[in-house]
Amino acid sequence: MASNTPLSFDTFFNVIDGKLSTTESTRCSINPSTLKNNPEVPVSTIADVEEAVQAARKAAESWSQVPWEDRRKAVEGFATALEIQQDDFANMLTKEQGKPFPRAQLEIKTGIQWLRDFCQLSIPETVIEDNDSRRISTRYTPLGVVVAITAWNYPVQPLALSKIAPALLTGNALILKPSPFTPYCNLKLAELGLRFFPPGILQALSGDDNLGPWMTEHPGIDKISFTGSIATGKKVMESCSKTLKRVTLELGGNDPAIVCADVDLAAIPTITGIAFENAGQICCGIKRLYVHESVYDTVMATVLAVLPHLKFGDGFVDGVFIPPITNKQQFERVQELLADAERAQLKVVAGSTKPMPGAGETGGYFIAPTVIDNPPDDSKIVTEEQFGPILPILKWTDEDDVIRRANDTQYGLGASIWTQDMARAERMAGRMQAGTVWINSHVEIGATYPFGGHKNSGIGSEWGVEGMKAYCNLQTVLSRSSPWDGKT
Ligand code: NAD
């Protein structure tokens, strides 16, 4: 099945039932750095959804019977093929999402590594009782047909690849439904998958705003693995409830990072980089930086000294670190937050509350990296997820109080504590209301350990063995070698 012919990145197709197809009507997204059109992609119809679901149902039945080892080999082959064309994928990723080409290369490279890391995981059977009369065990069986509905900030990795590997390894069929803003690499991933997986096992549909709801409503789909905003996550869950579909929701975050008085100051440039990575468009990026008053001025000075080195611009220009905002909708949202900061007369110590001249009109969706000095806790820039290159830095004095402030939010995705006192770090980390707590780190994620949100940041988790189990039904097997007498 495997072929070494390179995929072409000039034309883009849906992948349905082992074939490439297009649609009568097509659309395109925009390169956020140049505002030029990217290539045309299909706008799937409800008939396309129907065909993909039927193909997936049929394929999932036989795929579930393929030994794990053979499914693993198929995923490994897919990883190797992706590695061969990694730069073509990275090139397209920069055009559709905007991130600097070296960061796009890193996204693909990391994705390949994660595919391989997932291949090392397994879900062994658990034996609960095993004696002369009976054996009781639990095992995990595939759900059937899974749809991945995803956001636009990291479309390849983790959003697509870290759903593909666990879903397929555990014996499911997966349909990718990428964001309309970033469909290109996802369509090509499914096209590449045709060389390694039977028809219907890995499919992709691109489309407009109708496509997601058609899928969440469809009775032939067993699970939606959703990554996106809290508002859409609620709609997805409501829609899925009608068919009792399983859902995993990976939603927005507004992660606090708490910098203690004894922080290793060498960490501050790293913290700054994390906050502005991908122009702040990271679900678990640092979005509120709480700094102890004794080091506040030093930390602020360091952040401001680092910022000019974080060049922003077109992702294909050498040395660029901060890309544009990926789409107009988000660009306008970030501008609204900046306008609010201006109305509230917050202290802007770097950047500006105005977009770059011509941004979104004659040039890309560029917003200069902006730092706000000690805004009130109830300002929008603190209470809302910015998803843009804006960092509020807030002062704290008392440990209990800063933990209360950090936790005082509907979000609960990630949080971090930066200190050299490990006992203190453990104590503080234990009180953070977040799915992941990092100590002297942030945003460090991996295929082998789970990730998910507390509170409104999500339901369930992905990755690691726990994440794999989320693509499965739990099945209990009670077995007797001779019939039960109905008594003991
Ligand atoms: P979004 O919720 O607008 O869209 C996400 C996806 O849902 C898209 O594919 C979209 O087409 C689809 N969709 C929209 N309406 C739908 C509906 N009614 N039914 C079904 N599908 C529908 O989010 P976005 O703007 O693409 O992404 C940004 C958000 O994603 C941020 O809040 C960010 O924090 C979050 N995010 C979370 C994680 C995580 O792992 N927790 C990772 C990345 C991004």
Side-chain angles (χ1 to χ4, degrees):
M1 216 187 311
S3 130
N4 287 333
T5 317
L7 296 173
S8 153
F9 281 76
D10 298 329
T11 43
F12 292 83
F13 306 97
N14 277 340
V15 179
I16 304 177
D17 200 10
K19 296 182 282 293
L20 304 180
S21 62
T22 191
T23 49
E24 207 174 299
S25 143
T26 57
R27 58 175 291 280
C28 68
S29 81
I30 281 170
N31 177 330
S33 292
T34 61
L35 304 187
K36 292 207 173 104
N37 287 353
N38 281 321
E40 292 292 304
V41 285
V43 178
S44 301
T45 62
I46 199 151
D48 295 316
V49 173
E50 200 52 51
E51 198 187 336
V53 173
Q54 293 320 324
R57 293 219 70 77
K58 198 163 141 239
E61 223 175 290
S62 36
W63 185 244
S64 70
Q65 300 308 309
V66 170
W68 184 292
E69 184 55 21
D70 293 346
R71 298 197 297 248
R72 187 178 64 75
K73 280 187 192 143
V75 172
E76 281 174 350
F78 176 67
T80 302
L82 180 56
E83 195 165 38
I84 292 167
Q85 269 205 278
Q86 56 184 306
D87 278 354
D88 295 327
F89 273 92
N91 187 56
M92 190 66 239
L93 183 54
T94 294
K95 284 186 189 158
E96 64 178 320
Q97 199 277 337
K99 68 190 52 175
F101 182 63
R103 304 312 266 184
Q105 286 178 305
L106 185 65
E107 180 168 334
I108 310 295
K109 228 182 231 324
T110 309
I112 294 161
Q113 187 55 48
W114 279 46
L115 288 175
R116 291 176 175 150
D117 290 347
F118 279 120
C119 284
Q120 302 309 311
L121 301 180
S122 59
I123 314 179
E125 176 195 60
T126 303
V127 179
I128 293 163
E129 188 183 308
D130 192 4
N131 52 40
D132 290 347
S133 57
R134 63 182 194 171
R135 184 178 193 274
I136 304 172
S137 60
T138 55
R139 63 186 179 200
Y140 287 83
T141 61
L143 290 171
V145 176
V146 179
V147 168
I149 300 183
T150 53
W152 42 259
N153 55 339
Y154 285 86
V156 175
Q157 170 61 23
L159 298 182
L161 294 176
S162 74
K163 294 187 196 289
I164 291 173
L168 268 51
L169 284 168
T170 50
N172 298 279
L174 182 90
I175 306 173
L176 292 170
K177 205 280 321 152
S179 165
F181 296 114
T182 50
Y184 298 94
C185 286
N186 272 232
L187 292 175
K188 287 295 157 190
L189 286 176
E191 190 176 328
L192 191 65
L194 290 177
R195 301 173 183 185
F196 301 93
F197 309 114
I201 288 300
L202 179 61
Q203 306 181 90
L205 296 179
S206 98
D208 59 19
D209 292 344
N210 291 313
L211 188 53
W214 283 338
M215 291 173 137
T216 58
E217 282 160 19
H218 200 294
I221 293 167
D222 302 293
K223 171 176 175 139
I224 301 286
S225 178
F226 175 81
T227 304
S229 64
I230 292 174
T232 310
K234 288 180 181 172
K235 287 186 200 162
V236 166
M237 193 162 175
E238 187 184 352
S239 173
C240 288
S241 73
K242 292 173 193 144
T243 47
L244 283 186
K245 274 186 196 65
R246 276 47 178 166
V247 284
T248 297
L249 302 178
E250 293 287 353
L251 308 178
N254 191 4
D255 289 13
I258 302 180
V259 171
C260 298
D262 66 346
V263 64
D264 178 350
L265 288 168
I268 307 307
T270 307
I271 289 177
T272 314
I274 294 170
F276 291 99
E277 174 81 41
N278 202 21
Q281 302 167 113
I282 308 190
C283 58
C284 56
I286 293 175
K287 296 178 181 150
R288 295 175 286 152
L289 184 61
Y290 293 91
V291 181
H292 191 266
E293 59 174 359
S294 63
V295 285
Y296 189 87
D297 291 345
T298 312
V299 169
M300 177 63 87
T302 311
V303 171
L304 296 183
V306 168
L307 265 194
H309 299 286
L310 305 184
K311 191 166 141 184
F312 62 95
D314 186 322
F316 284 114
V317 173
D318 257 6
V320 160
F321 180 78
I322 303 183
I325 299 295
T326 300
N327 54 66
K328 185 162 188 266
Q329 176 186 302
Q330 184 60 21
F331 177 67
E332 287 171 355
R333 211 193 98 61
V334 176
Q335 281 189 81
E336 268 167 43
L337 278 177
L338 287 170
D340 184 78
E342 188 169 293
R343 279 192 298 276
Q345 299 185 326
L346 303 185
K347 192 169 165 198
V348 177
V349 287
S352 164
T353 52
K354 300 267 184 284
M356 303 302 298
E361 290 159 9
T362 51
Y365 300 122
F366 291 106
I367 292 179
T370 299
V371 175
I372 314 246
D373 183 0
N374 208 22
D377 283 355
D378 63 355
S379 48
K380 272 193 178 174
I381 205 66
V382 178
T383 59
E384 293 188 11
E385 176 186 37
Q386 312 104 14
F387 230 55
I390 314 168
L391 180 65
I393 306 187
L394 303 107
K395 204 176 277 185
W396 67 275
T397 313
D398 175 70
E399 184 178 307
D400 287 341
D401 190 52
V402 74
I403 291 171
R404 180 196 58 74
R405 290 165 71 198
N407 284 336
D408 184 19
T409 168
Q410 63 164 326
Y411 300 94
L413 197 54
S416 60
I417 313 290
W418 299 77
T419 173
Q420 297 185 64
D421 177 346
M422 295 312 283
R424 167 182 230 190
E426 289 293 339
R427 181 178 74 227
M428 291 176 77
R431 297 175 66 191
M432 300 312 297
Q433 297 168 355
T436 304
V437 187
W438 290 276
I439 294 172
N440 294 318
S441 184
H442 206 115
V443 97
E444 219 181 308
I445 53 175
T448 54
Y449 43 98
F451 178 82
H454 290 188
K455 304 198 274 189
N456 281 359
S457 287
I459 290 191
S461 56
E462 292 197 284
W463 319 334
V465 173
E466 293 304 320
M468 277 195 156
K469 288 179 179 173
Y471 289 100
C472 301
N473 284 308
L474 173 62
Q475 187 171 59
T476 300
V477 183
L478 188 153
S479 153
R480 287 177 176 272
S481 47
S482 52
W484 189 37
D485 62 8
K487 289 180 193 149
T488 49

